[in-house]
Amino acid sequence: MRLKLIEKHRSFGGEQCKYSHYSEVLQCVMTFSIYLPSNKEMKKIPLIWWLSGLTSTDDNFSQKSGFQRLAEKYQVAVIIPDTSPRGEHVADDEGWDLGQGAGFYLKATQDPWAKHYNMYTYIVDELTTIASTLVPNFSGEESIMGHSMGGHGALVIGMKNAARFKAISAFSPILSPSQVPWGIKTFSTYLGGSKASWKEWDASELVKEAGIPPILITQGTQDQFYPKQLDETIFLKNAQENNQVVNYKKMEGYDHSYFFIATFLEDHFAFHMKFLR
Amino acid sequence: MRLKLIEKHRSFGGEQCKYSHYSEVLQCVMTFSIYLPSNKEMKKIPLIWWLSGLTSTDDNFSQKSGFQRLAEKYQVAVIIPDTSPRGEHVADDEGWDLGQGAGFYLKATQDPWAKHYNMYTYIVDELTTIASTLVPNFSGEESIMGHSMGGHGALVIGMKNAARFKAISAFSPILSPSQVPWGIKTFSTYLGGSKASWKEWDASELVKEAGIPPILITQGTQDQFYPKQLDETIFLKNAQENNQVVNYKKMEGYDHSYFFIATFLEDHFAFHMKFLR
């Protein structure tokens, strides 16, 4: 594993870094960003994962959310993966909601996607190993949050690894991918036409399992993709039938943008820190 | 004056808006952004001007600084002009530090620049009139801040209009444009070779005047343009000889980026609010 540091900025007392590396899992060069708080008191540092939405890279959250103020305040590291494998040799599509920039944090099984599109294993295994070497005094505690496609990713990865992630939160997430246009398009492409194979990547199915982490979701009422792509009905019904407490908040007048995320990010950090301490 | 609203996002309870309009002063279509706080208590609202640096538009500060949290906290409106006239018919240069994106907030006198490059009058007159119509319950109180070229702009506009602006602050500003490469290049191009004509646009000269507003400056020590483009020596010497108190702070390890601005923006807002209340 050779990491190349490509950016480093002091930010709120800590360091905002960007790395590139060759991913063995994805078989391409990837970038990711990581914030390390100042840790002046040399305490144990937990790690929050942020998964971004369609068309994003690791830069959107690092540049537009203002999260560094909160990561420093709470003394937590934050890692931001890219949203898909990248490169000229990596399968792609003309649409902005499929292919590069739209990895959906799953493990593709269909050609030509299966070779590179395995963001799930990249995050859960390969990037996890890297992160653990980069966070000084890592406490071993982790949680996960994300936005839109990345909100779906946070829910799926968090629930599939319930013993590992102490909390999950999402801004305007895709909650029932098997039922909405974005999810149907990508799942049928990456996973094939058999809907049985979609279930393990569908948050509305996974929320039926026992012992999943606490969940916070924030959704803006003026979101251009709500409710069509982001409908919460099935997810909340299944959660309730499973006695899983989900804190689902609707915020009047907010849209799908980083202006929305920045506004409510402190609520999400505070929620995560309840379970990371 | 016809304004076209091209973006509106709820942000921290207030509204982040982006407008386009035809500028009579600049003779081209311009965009600007403005934040209006929620003003739930229906109080009088002051206005802070933000001037951006080279290559920026009004989007950089609105998307990367996180200022909306502070504008809502202090219940102040913030207006962000673009950095130059724009358009295919507007004179330009191949360099990123001259022409479009590099208006330097002055009034050009040389051809082909004089026709459009008058950001000074655009801001001090035309955009001021527009802003006063957009801020509900405008208190009439104003202050000005900026970054790099925009830090220079804030100092120059603030000091040339000392009765109007209650406070001035700048992040990593050009302080002696007549002495440094960026300033020499633009001043000789926009204003001509006679250095006498440069003085009215040079913060190090203007700081010799009486009765100028209180000034706060923050500079990162790892700024890639410091000290070459951003040297403070002459400005601080002239300020001291004039008994003008300038709070000039150096911050260890910080660079020229918005990560730096975001970190210290709360200090700047707190400084401005001392004089806007």
Side-chain angles (χ1 to χ4, degrees):
Chain A
M1 174 193 83
R2 259 187 272 164
L3 286 181
K4 188 177 165 192
L5 179 68
I6 50 180
E7 277 187 47
K8 186 163 93 171
H9 307 276
R10 188 157 291 182
S11 173
F12 286 92
E15 282 182 349
Q16 179 63 50
C17 302
K18 184 179 172 85
Y19 289 92
S20 71
H21 71 114
Y22 183 82
S23 164
E24 297 291 340
V25 170
L26 302 177
Q27 296 187 51
C28 65
V29 174
M30 294 292 287
T31 65
F32 67 89
S33 289
I34 189 166
Y35 180 81
L36 303 173
S38 62
N39 196 14
K40 287 172 195 149
E41 297 176 18
M42 294 295 284
K43 291 189 173 168
K44 292 285 185 186
I45 299 292
L47 176 66
I48 295 177
W49 291 76
W50 172 270
L51 305 186
S52 302
L54 286 165
T55 76
S56 293
T57 69
D58 52 310
D59 288 337
N60 302 62
F61 187 66
S62 75
Q63 295 181 3
K64 293 184 169 184
S65 70
F67 85 83
Q68 293 90 352
R69 180 179 69 88
L70 301 166
E72 176 66 14
K73 172 179 172 179
Y74 291 114
Q75 291 294 303
V76 57
V78 176
I79 187 164
I80 313 162
D82 199 350
T83 54
S84 77
R86 300 277 182 184
E88 284 184 18
H89 64 297
V90 172
D92 201 4
D93 185 86
E94 287 180 3
W96 56 269
D97 53 0
L98 191 68
Q100 295 187 33
F104 267 78
Y105 306 104
L106 48 69
K107 198 185 296 192
T109 57
Q110 305 298 300
D111 286 332
W113 310 97
K115 185 178 178 191
H116 297 287
Y117 283 72
N118 186 354
M119 287 298 288
Y120 179 78
T121 307
Y122 170 65
I123 287 168
V124 170
D125 289 345
E126 191 175 18
L127 198 50
T128 296
T129 304
I130 293 171
S132 67
T133 69
L134 291 177
V135 181
N137 286 325
F138 180 36
S139 71
E141 293 163 310
E142 294 170 274
S143 66
I144 191 163
M145 56 172 79
H147 174 228
S148 196
M149 172 185 77
H152 151 262
L155 287 160
V156 168
I157 291 178
M159 291 193 285
K160 283 169 89 79
N161 299 274
R164 178 174 157 186
F165 294 99
K166 308 294 181 210
I168 305 172
S169 76
F171 293 87
S172 35
I174 303 167
L175 287 171
S176 298
S178 305
Q179 316 293 332
V180 304
W182 278 340
I184 293 169
K185 180 177 180 178
T186 49
F187 280 16
S188 58
T189 305
Y190 296 154
L191 303 172
S194 163
K195 291 203 173 183
S197 68
W198 299 7
K199 287 193 176 181
E200 67 165 313
W201 304 107
D202 189 321
S204 289
E205 293 294 327
L206 294 168
V207 79
K208 298 176 182 171
E209 301 292 320
I212 59 182
I215 294 171
L216 169 66
I217 296 170
T218 308
Q219 172 66 53
T221 62
Q222 293 303 305
D223 186 321
Q224 62 182 306
F225 302 111
Y226 181 81
K228 188 177 180 188
Q229 305 280 9
L230 311 173
D231 192 79
E232 76 277 27
T233 319
I234 299 170
F235 180 85
L236 293 183
K237 177 174 166 287
N238 290 352
Q240 193 173 30
E241 287 176 6
N242 188 29
N243 297 311
Q244 166 68 22
V245 178
V246 174
N247 190 349
Y248 184 87
K249 293 182 179 180
K250 275 192 184 174
M251 296 301 174
E252 189 62 34
Y254 286 87
D255 62 24
H256 201 71
S257 70
Y258 269 85
F259 296 111
F260 160 63
I261 296 171
T263 301
F264 298 106
L265 197 56
E266 182 140 22
D267 294 349
H268 282 238
F269 268 71
F271 173 77
H272 283 247
M273 294 316 293
K274 283 196 291 184
F275 304 101
L276 289 171
R277 285 248 167 81
Chain B
M1 174 194 84
R2 259 188 271 165
L3 286 180
K4 188 177 166 193
L5 180 67
I6 51 180
E7 279 187 45
K8 185 161 94 168
H9 307 276
R10 189 156 291 183
S11 173
F12 287 92
E15 282 182 350
Q16 180 63 50
C17 302
K18 185 179 171 89
Y19 289 93
S20 71
H21 70 116
Y22 183 81
S23 164
E24 298 291 341
V25 170
L26 302 177
Q27 297 187 49
C28 65
V29 174
M30 293 293 287
T31 64
F32 67 89
S33 289
I34 189 165
Y35 181 80
L36 303 173
S38 64
N39 196 14
K40 287 173 197 151
E41 298 177 17
M42 294 295 284
K43 291 191 173 165
K44 291 285 185 186
I45 298 293
L47 175 66
I48 295 177
W49 291 76
W50 172 269
L51 305 186
S52 302
L54 288 164
T55 77
S56 293
T57 70
D58 52 309
D59 288 337
N60 301 63
F61 188 66
S62 75
Q63 295 181 3
K64 293 185 169 183
S65 71
F67 85 83
Q68 293 90 352
R69 181 179 68 87
L70 300 165
E72 175 64 15
K73 172 179 171 179
Y74 292 114
Q75 290 294 302
V76 58
V78 177
I79 186 163
I80 314 162
D82 199 352
T83 54
S84 76
R86 302 278 183 183
E88 283 183 19
H89 64 297
V90 172
D92 200 4
D93 184 88
E94 287 180 2
W96 56 270
D97 52 1
L98 191 68
Q100 295 187 32
F104 268 79
Y105 305 103
L106 48 69
K107 198 186 297 193
T109 57
Q110 305 297 300
D111 287 332
W113 311 97
K115 184 177 178 192
H116 297 287
Y117 283 73
N118 185 355
M119 287 298 288
Y120 178 78
T121 307
Y122 170 65
I123 288 169
V124 170
D125 290 344
E126 190 175 17
L127 198 49
T128 295
T129 304
I130 294 171
S132 67
T133 69
L134 290 177
V135 181
N137 286 326
F138 180 35
S139 71
E141 294 164 308
E142 295 171 274
S143 66
I144 190 162
M145 55 172 81
H147 174 229
S148 197
M149 172 185 78
H152 150 263
L155 286 159
V156 168
I157 291 178
M159 291 193 285
K160 284 169 90 78
N161 299 275
R164 175 173 159 187
F165 294 99
K166 308 293 183 212
I168 304 171
S169 75
F171 294 88
S172 35
I174 303 168
L175 287 170
S176 298
S178 305
Q179 316 293 332
V180 304
W182 278 339
I184 292 169
K185 181 176 180 179
T186 48
F187 281 16
S188 58
T189 304
Y190 296 153
L191 303 172
S194 164
K195 291 203 175 184
S197 69
W198 298 9
K199 287 192 176 181
E200 67 164 316
W201 303 107
D202 188 321
S204 288
E205 294 294 327
L206 295 167
V207 80
K208 296 176 183 172
E209 302 292 323
I212 61 183
I215 294 171
L216 168 66
I217 296 171
T218 308
Q219 173 65 55
T221 62
Q222 294 302 305
D223 187 323
Q224 61 181 308
F225 302 113
Y226 181 81
K228 189 178 180 186
Q229 305 279 9
L230 311 173
D231 192 78
E232 76 278 27
T233 319
I234 299 171
F235 180 85
L236 292 183
K237 178 174 165 287
N238 290 352
Q240 192 174 30
E241 287 176 5
N242 188 29
N243 296 313
Q244 167 68 24
V245 178
V246 175
N247 190 350
Y248 184 87
K249 293 182 177 180
K250 277 192 182 175
M251 296 302 175
E252 187 63 34
Y254 286 87
D255 62 24
H256 201 71
S257 69
Y258 270 85
F259 295 112
F260 159 64
I261 295 170
T263 301
F264 297 106
L265 197 57
E266 183 141 21
D267 294 350
H268 283 237
F269 267 71
F271 173 76
H272 283 247
M273 293 316 293
K274 282 196 293 183
F275 304 101
L276 290 171
R277 286 255 166 79

